[in-house]
Amino acid sequence: MTAPGHNRPMAKLMLHGDLDHPATLSVADLRDWIQHRAEVTFDCATNGPQHHVFEGALLRDVVSDAGPSFDARRRKDRSRFLLAVSGGDGHHTVLSWAELDADFGNSPVLLATRLDGEDLDEAGAQLVVPSDRCGARYVSAVTHVWFGSLSPPNLGL
């Protein structure tokens, strides 16, 4: 898909893993969820404090709508799931579902669709972890969000 008036394709991300409804989503698709706003300041080792305003969908809402394969009634089952997020620039990060889940950390992690008032349609969604003091888990141009469980190794016990 190409943005109107542009030769570059619009950025998309793959939502996949242990989900009933995996999907490929554009930034425009992410605007179908309620948009949340996060004003963040993080310390950058090379450039000092950075101040930004992000708007976007809660990662928890996007994954929940895709049908995660856990038993929602069992807290301990939910706490063994992870999310691995990859960006077009080669950055990756991992989050636990418990960080996002309202019964646990309830962190408002975003898949941002706007940065400082500018749409991110061409650049791609950005993972925003507002509670982080540094920007290490901020992933630009998100290409993949994998959701899956942490299973213990088969130790033959």
Side-chain angles (χ1 to χ4, degrees):
M1 178 184 306
T2 304
H6 295 78
N7 293 328
R8 293 184 358 189
M10 291 178 68
K12 297 228 178 203
L13 69 86
M14 286 182 52
L15 179 61
H16 57 105
D18 295 335
L19 300 166
D20 291 339
H21 312 289
T24 301
L25 303 167
S26 68
V27 172
D29 294 332
L30 292 172
R31 288 193 189 96
D32 290 343
W33 282 270
I34 294 170
Q35 300 294 286
H36 297 263
R37 180 181 170 100
E39 295 183 28
V40 299
T41 299
F42 55 88
D43 290 319
C44 180
T46 56
N47 299 326
Q50 302 290 308
H51 307 281
H52 296 288
V53 177
F54 294 94
E55 297 170 61
L58 290 175
L59 178 58
R60 157 180 74 229
D61 292 347
V62 175
V63 172
S64 292
D65 283 355
S69 63
F70 53 68
D71 183 346
R73 298 165 302 194
R74 296 179 55 224
R75 285 185 183 182
K76 287 189 178 184
D77 193 44
R78 289 181 282 157
S79 68
R80 67 186 176 89
F81 282 79
L82 303 171
L83 298 107
V85 180
S86 301
D89 59 359
H91 284 95
H92 310 279
T93 197
V94 176
L95 299 136
S96 71
W97 180 255
E99 286 180 82
L100 310 179
D101 192 299
D103 286 343
F104 295 98
N106 199 28
S107 183
V109 174
L110 297 179
L111 284 172
T113 60
R114 292 176 60 85
L115 165 59
D116 296 331
E118 298 292 324
D119 289 339
L120 293 173
D121 293 82
E122 282 189 43
Q126 184 163 344
L127 181 74
V128 177
V129 185
S131 60
D132 284 3
R133 286 187 8 197
C134 72
R137 291 196 298 177
Y138 286 53
V139 176
S140 298
V142 174
T143 56
H144 293 270
V145 175
W146 174 86
F147 176 84
S149 66
L150 177 64
S151 299
N154 184 352
L155 300 176
L157 301 174

